[in-house]
Amino acid sequence: MNGNEFIYKTDTNSTILEDGSFTWRAPSNIALVKYWGKREVQLPENPSLSFTLSNCFTETTLEFKRAKEAPTVSEPDGSTDFEQTLVQKVFKFDVFLDGKRKPEFEKKIGDFIVRVGKLVSFISDYDFIIKTHNSFPHSSGIASSASGMAALSLCIMSMEKALNPSMSEELFYQKASLLARLGSGSAARSVKGELVVWGEHSNIQGSSDLFGVEFPHKVHENFKNYQDTILLVDKGEKVVSSTVGHNLMHGHPFAQQRFKQANENISKLSEILQNGDLKAFVNLVESEALTLHAMMMTSNPYFILMKPNTLQIIDKIWKFRATSGSNVCFTLDAGANVHVLFPSNEKKLVNDFIERELVDFCQKNEYISDSVGSGAKQM
């Protein structure tokens, strides 16, 4: 696949849409095997595998009305690659978060609309109002870009499905994930499935750099309804953005070894998820989290996103696991917050531990209780 097959084309069954709206709820996700480093445009240097979450989601309504005036168009650059020839168009759209107009969001969404313009060319015929809501506080330190871009992309795909009713479900979700990826790389994993792989891997049938796919193997009962409690250590803006961090992998002295390691860990985790080995899961997931931050600390310029309380929580988890025999473990995104992962049959044991020993390390004692979900839903 090179992406050209995802370019919108009308067919004999195409209908006409004058106005309307679609609403989708898309979840956040937490990567177990991390992706860090990308190439143009929004393609991963290594595959990743994530749990889809349930309670942390973005719900977006896309209202559309056929435009009275065509958008202004600038000349494309003449390239033949579908992501390099995206036609520059100026669209009319307004963005609202929880009912309040958010002009500061409009540049990012405008860039996204321009980037996907050739793939969904019909959007140039419409004006839009985008209404969005996060189930978690916007300042909570939980990235909303994955869930937000996934929800918006699914709304756009519902428009395409309405225009071309013969579109298959498989193509619908593949293209939704592809569009989401062009807004935020990890958003490719927030469309469909409990466990999602993004990035081509020889052991994952159907896997692709272009879009995320559901983990294709039967998952052991140990990993059903897995729990994720997110400890909000630092709710401030990161000192180094993920975009900058990804770019620092270019020329990183350990980049190629890291990409190789991630590929190997996808194979290992695939086996673990099928055989139910919780101890091996704990070891691999924590190693992946620390490796991610090790890459940040050894880039040039180097940086540290963990906070002292992040390390305190990790130490507490290690000590608790050693004394209790629990299978609780941690993982980290590109930030200071800690995701505490544990099987559902340890829910009371671990929740008591969190309340007793970990909440004091959270900003304002705040945390979010979540669990593995099944993917996005149309509302």
Side-chain angles (χ1 to χ4, degrees):
M1 287 186 176
N2 60 15
N4 288 312
E5 60 271 37
F6 293 102
I7 295 174
Y8 171 74
K9 302 178 185 69
T10 58
D11 62 27
T12 55
N13 296 319
S14 294
T15 60
I16 297 174
L17 288 179
E18 291 296 332
D19 54 38
S21 68
F22 292 102
T23 301
W24 278 85
R25 176 180 291 181
S28 186
N29 67 77
I30 178 63
L32 306 173
V33 174
K34 312 294 184 179
Y35 115 88
W36 198 242
K38 59 186 176 184
R39 60 193 192 277
E40 293 294 337
V41 175
Q42 294 286 91
L43 296 172
E45 290 284 12
N46 67 264
S48 56
L49 192 158
S50 63
F51 271 143
T52 302
L53 298 182
S54 178
N55 299 332
C56 290
F57 60 81
T58 298
E59 186 170 304
T60 296
T61 296
L62 181 67
E63 298 179 358
F64 56 91
K65 185 175 182 179
R66 187 170 287 275
K68 294 181 180 179
E69 298 180 6
T72 55
V73 180
S74 63
E75 292 298 318
D77 64 6
S79 169
T80 57
D81 184 84
F82 90 107
E83 286 174 336
Q84 301 296 332
T85 61
L86 298 177
V87 179
Q88 301 288 315
K89 299 182 178 182
V90 179
F91 301 92
K92 182 181 177 183
F93 64 94
D94 296 316
V95 182
F96 294 84
L97 174 66
D98 296 325
K100 295 182 180 179
R101 173 89 184 277
K102 290 291 182 180
E104 62 269 31
F105 291 176
E106 290 173 6
K107 184 185 185 306
K108 183 173 184 178
I109 292 179
D111 291 344
F112 166 71
I113 290 176
V114 166
R115 186 174 278 178
V116 303
K118 187 179 179 183
L119 297 173
V120 285
S121 57
F122 60 86
I123 62 176
S124 64
D125 297 331
Y126 297 91
D127 296 331
F128 297 99
I129 295 176
I130 301 167
K131 299 177 179 178
T132 191
H133 162 74
N134 295 323
S135 66
F136 45 92
H138 182 65
S139 60
S140 67
I142 306 301
S144 59
S145 57
S147 54
M149 287 300 180
L152 178 57
S153 297
L154 284 156
C155 290
I156 293 172
M157 286 308 302
S158 286
M159 289 185 68
E160 181 168 344
K161 177 70 172 176
L163 289 165
N164 277 345
S166 60
M167 171 182 284
S168 69
E169 180 176 314
E170 180 182 33
L171 178 59
F172 177 92
Y173 283 108
Q174 285 181 351
K175 187 169 177 179
S177 178
L178 184 151
L179 296 182
R181 187 202 94 228
L182 292 173
S184 170
S186 58
R189 303 191 307 256
S190 280
V191 171
K192 192 172 189 288
E194 297 182 8
L195 282 154
V196 181
V197 178
W198 171 41
E200 187 174 348
H201 191 279
S202 58
N203 288 355
I204 305 296
Q205 184 177 1
S207 60
S208 172
D209 289 348
L210 297 179
F211 49 80
V213 299
E214 293 184 80
F215 182 69
H217 306 294
K218 184 177 180 180
V219 177
H220 193 279
E221 200 65 29
N222 285 349
F223 298 107
K224 296 293 185 181
N225 196 33
Y226 223 72
Q227 304 293 298
D228 178 9
T229 297
I230 306 154
L231 305 181
L232 305 180
V233 172
D234 184 6
K235 299 192 292 182
E237 187 173 342
K238 291 183 292 189
V239 294
V240 176
S241 72
S242 293
T243 298
V244 172
H246 282 292
N247 288 337
L248 290 175
M249 288 296 284
H250 299 299
H252 193 295
F254 309 129
Q256 295 306 314
Q257 183 59 36
R258 165 57 197 157
F259 302 149
K260 179 182 177 183
Q261 178 196 44
N263 274 277
E264 292 171 350
N265 280 347
I266 290 281
S267 296
K268 292 176 182 177
L269 185 56
S270 177
E271 293 182 11
I272 291 167
L273 291 169
Q274 294 174 75
N275 65 32
D277 189 339
L278 288 168
K279 301 301 181 187
F281 178 85
V282 167
N283 179 267
L284 188 149
V285 168
E286 290 190 344
S287 174
E288 272 287 316
L290 294 175
T291 300
L292 171 68
H293 285 260
M295 300 308 290
M296 300 173 192
M297 291 187 280
T298 51
S299 65
N300 187 16
Y302 43 80
F303 59 101
I304 299 175
L305 295 184
M306 290 187 287
K307 300 292 184 182
N309 281 1
T310 307
L311 298 175
Q312 293 271 27
I313 289 168
I314 290 172
D315 187 58
K316 289 281 188 181
I317 289 172
W318 283 346
K319 289 178 178 176
F320 176 73
R321 195 165 65 223
T323 57
S324 69
S326 168
N327 291 294
V328 66
C329 69
F330 71 88
T331 191
L332 307 167
D333 264 339
N337 297 326
V338 181
H339 289 250
V340 183
L341 302 174
F342 51 98
S344 58
N345 63 2
E346 295 187 17
K347 192 170 183 178
K348 186 179 186 311
L349 174 70
V350 177
N351 282 345
D352 288 347
F353 161 62
I354 289 170
E355 283 286 343
R356 185 177 64 250
E357 297 192 43
L358 301 186
V359 293
D360 286 345
F361 298 105
C362 300
Q363 197 168 341
K364 296 182 180 179
N365 292 348
E366 291 181 346
Y367 64 89
I368 299 171
S369 295
D370 211 333
S371 59
V372 174
S374 57
K377 300 175 183 178
Q378 186 170 10
M379 310 305 290

